C-alpha cells in the first residue's frame, strides 16, 4: 500500500494568469520581487529643448524601462518634424504604392 506524500494537505489553487510554482520557488520569487520593488526609481529631468530630438549620449542607460525618461520630448519632436500634418497636393501625383493611409475607426 503506497502512501501519498501530501496526504491531508490541500494544494493551493494558483491565481488566474500566474504560472504554477513549487513551494521552494514561491519563497524565492517573493524575495526577488520585494528586492526589485524596493529599488528607488531615478528622478528624470528633461533637458531636451522643445522640438529637438533627445540626445542619449550624455546619460547612462537605465537598468529598467522608465516611460517618462524614454518618451520625453517625443511628442514635441514629432510635431516639429511634421509627422501629424499632411499635404494632399503632394500625394496627388503619386502611385498607390507610394501613398500611406491608416484607417482609424471612429470613437
Amino acid at each position: 500500500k503506497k502512501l501519498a506524500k501530501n496526504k491531508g494537505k490541500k494544494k493551493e489553487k494558483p491565481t488566474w494568469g500566474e504560472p504554477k510554482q513549487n513551494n521552494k520557488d514561491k519563497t524565492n520569487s517573493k524575495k526577488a520581487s520585494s528586492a526589485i520593488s524596493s529599488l528607488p526609481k531615478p528622478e528624470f529631468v528633461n533637458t531636451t529643448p522643445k522640438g529637438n530630438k533627445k540626445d542619449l549620449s550624455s546619460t547612462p542607460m537605465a537598468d529598467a524601462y522608465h516611460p517618462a525618461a524614454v518618451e520625453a520630448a517625443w511628442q514635441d519632436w514629432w510635431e516639429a518634424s511634421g509627422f501629424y500634418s499632411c499635404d494632399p497636393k503632394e500625394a496627388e501625383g503619386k502611385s498607390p504604392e507610394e501613398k500611406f493611409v491608416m484607417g482609424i475607426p471612429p470613437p
Side-chain angles (χ1 to χ4, degrees):
K1 192 174 188 182
K2 292 185 178 181
L3 297 175
K5 279 185 177 181
N6 297 327
K7 189 174 183 181
K9 293 183 183 178
K10 279 191 168 183
K11 279 188 174 180
E12 289 183 35
K13 291 183 181 180
T15 56
W16 187 78
E18 288 185 9
K20 293 181 181 180
Q21 295 178 341
N22 297 342
N23 287 338
K24 294 175 189 175
D25 293 342
K26 287 181 184 178
T27 57
N28 291 340
S29 66
K30 286 180 184 177
K31 289 178 185 176
S33 64
S34 66
I36 290 171
S37 63
S38 66
L39 292 175
K41 289 184 180 178
E43 182 86 20
F44 176 74
V45 178
N46 187 13
T47 58
T48 307
K50 190 172 180 110
N52 289 351
K53 204 171 190 179
K54 187 168 52 169
D55 182 21
L56 298 173
S57 62
S58 61
T59 58
M61 183 171 281
D63 58 341
Y65 178 73
H66 302 288
V70 174
E71 298 171 8
W74 282 4
Q75 183 73 24
D76 296 329
W77 182 72
W78 289 342
E79 288 174 3
S81 298
F83 291 134
Y84 292 126
S85 64
C86 66
D87 186 10
K89 291 183 181 184
E90 184 182 324
E92 281 179 3
K94 293 189 177 186
S95 68
E97 289 83 23
E98 295 177 292
K99 295 177 185 177
F100 177 77
V101 177
M102 183 185 303
I104 301 173

